[in-house]
Amino acid sequence: MPNAQLLAVLYMVLSMTSYQISASFAKQLFTVLDPLTVTILRLCFAAIIVCVMFRSWKIISRLPYLKWKDLLCYSAALGLMNILFYMSLGRLPQGIAVGLEFVGPLGLALLSIKNRSDYIWVILAILGIALMVPWGQAANHQFDLLGAACALGAGLCWAFYIFFGQRVVQQNMGMHALTIAISISALCLLPFGLYHNAAAVLDTQHWGKAITIAILATAIPYALDLKALKQLNKMSYGTLSSLSPALAALTGFILLGERIGVLQWIALACIMLASVGVTLRAARQARKAKTA
């Protein structure tokens, strides 16, 4: 496998691991704050962090010349994806919320297929996610239709995030695109948060956890995603993203002592196989392109 593609896969694994760890901190904050407030605090602190990390004030002189249509769509997808997912996470068990959210990127992967042989990997990923979701729990305990709708909406926004993320990458702004997108999302949502619950937004006792979430769930994952999107097409990214539920299950097992059932282990195998298959397929296509 070419080094660039191997690095792209590594970036994605690190991104998803960081995001799943952040979910436990978000769950803790949900006991005292609503999902909208948590999302706003996360995005506000993330905007500051990534701006400092990447010295994004350097991009100010280029702002009038950027393709703002793609940037605004990317920012909207990012902001809506975050708030809808946190709303679903507050109403549904994490496994169900994550499983439903993945309808978005996998749907994008299906639409991006060019070779019939690639269908097997997407089908395996879909089967893995279907087995990963605790449907028995969904039918009998804590299942919320509004939460499911929010998760599906987050999945749709995720698909747009991938699509417009690849367009934004082509503007050669580097990580400054991430700063602009997060800042726009934070500034758009902040007035709603202040109107909804200004006391909670301005309460500094929650800022420590919010900063941790911002680093683990926003600054690190989105920066790594942009790097990965430079090397991976939409189908590869969408299918490789299927590793996230598997990483969530493993994180829960290691850190929280959550047991994984037989069906979940089968799901892990399907998802891992799909991810490996699509990666090797992309690598073969890259080698053929170089030798052609």
Side-chain angles (χ1 to χ4, degrees):
M1 181 184 297
N3 290 335
Q5 287 190 327
L6 183 61
L7 277 176
V9 174
L10 179 61
Y11 290 149
M12 286 196 63
V13 172
L14 292 175
S15 168
M16 291 180 287
T17 302
S18 178
Y19 190 87
Q20 292 303 328
I21 292 174
S22 76
S24 62
F25 290 95
K27 278 281 190 182
Q28 292 177 15
L29 271 184
F30 287 163
T31 61
V32 291
L33 297 177
D34 59 275
L36 175 62
T37 301
V38 175
T39 304
I40 291 170
L41 288 174
R42 166 185 157 183
L43 290 175
C44 287
F45 285 117
I48 297 171
I49 291 168
V50 295
C51 183
V52 173
M53 281 176 59
F54 306 126
R55 300 179 182 179
S56 294
W57 48 85
K58 295 180 179 179
I59 199 71
I60 292 177
S61 61
R62 289 185 56 191
L63 291 180
Y65 308 102
L66 299 178
K67 295 179 180 178
W68 280 99
K69 181 180 178 181
D70 290 338
L71 264 173
L72 290 175
C73 289
Y74 179 63
S75 304
L78 186 152
L80 288 173
M81 176 178 66
N82 277 280
I83 193 168
L84 288 172
F85 177 67
Y86 272 19
M87 287 178 66
S88 70
L89 201 59
R91 292 174 171 270
L92 296 174
Q94 187 174 347
I96 296 174
V98 172
L100 291 174
E101 187 190 24
F102 266 84
V103 171
L106 281 177
L108 187 62
L110 278 169
L111 293 174
S112 304
I113 283 180
K114 295 180 180 179
N115 300 306
R116 291 183 179 180
S117 59
D118 289 331
Y119 276 103
I120 184 63
W121 309 123
V122 179
I123 291 171
L124 276 172
I126 293 173
L127 176 61
I129 289 172
L131 293 174
M132 181 68 67
V133 175
W135 297 110
Q137 187 179 14
N140 301 316
H141 181 61
Q142 293 185 345
F143 189 71
D144 187 284
L145 290 177
L146 179 59
C150 288
L152 291 171
L156 178 62
C157 291
W158 192 352
F160 283 118
Y161 164 75
I162 297 169
F163 178 79
F164 287 106
Q166 288 190 318
R167 289 193 173 190
V168 167
V169 164
Q170 295 172 2
Q171 296 193 43
N172 295 319
M173 287 182 290
M175 294 302 147
H176 302 312
L178 181 65
T179 304
I180 294 172
I182 295 177
S183 299
I184 291 174
S185 298
L187 289 173
C188 289
L189 289 174
L190 185 58
F192 294 100
L194 292 174
Y195 176 80
H196 174 67
N197 194 353
V201 174
L202 300 175
D203 191 345
T204 57
Q205 69 172 318
H206 304 304
W207 286 11
K209 287 184 178 180
I211 291 172
T212 302
I213 294 171
I215 294 172
L216 292 174
T218 304
I220 293 176
Y222 293 152
L224 292 173
D225 280 351
L226 281 177
K227 284 183 173 291
L229 284 168
K230 290 182 179 180
Q231 302 296 331
L232 300 175
N233 58 35
K234 291 188 287 292
M235 195 207 76
S236 297
Y237 182 94
T239 309
L240 281 167
S241 295
S242 303
L243 279 170
S244 193
L247 289 172
L250 290 173
T251 301
F253 177 72
I254 295 171
L255 299 181
L256 305 175
E258 296 176 344
R259 294 186 177 183
I260 300 175
V262 175
L263 288 179
Q264 281 68 49
W265 282 115
I266 296 173
L268 286 173
C270 291
I271 291 169
M272 298 293 185
L273 183 59
S275 300
V276 171
V278 75
T279 304
L280 293 177
R281 174 68 175 174
R284 284 196 297 270
Q285 289 177 340
R287 285 197 296 269
K288 288 180 180 179
K290 286 183 178 180
T291 56

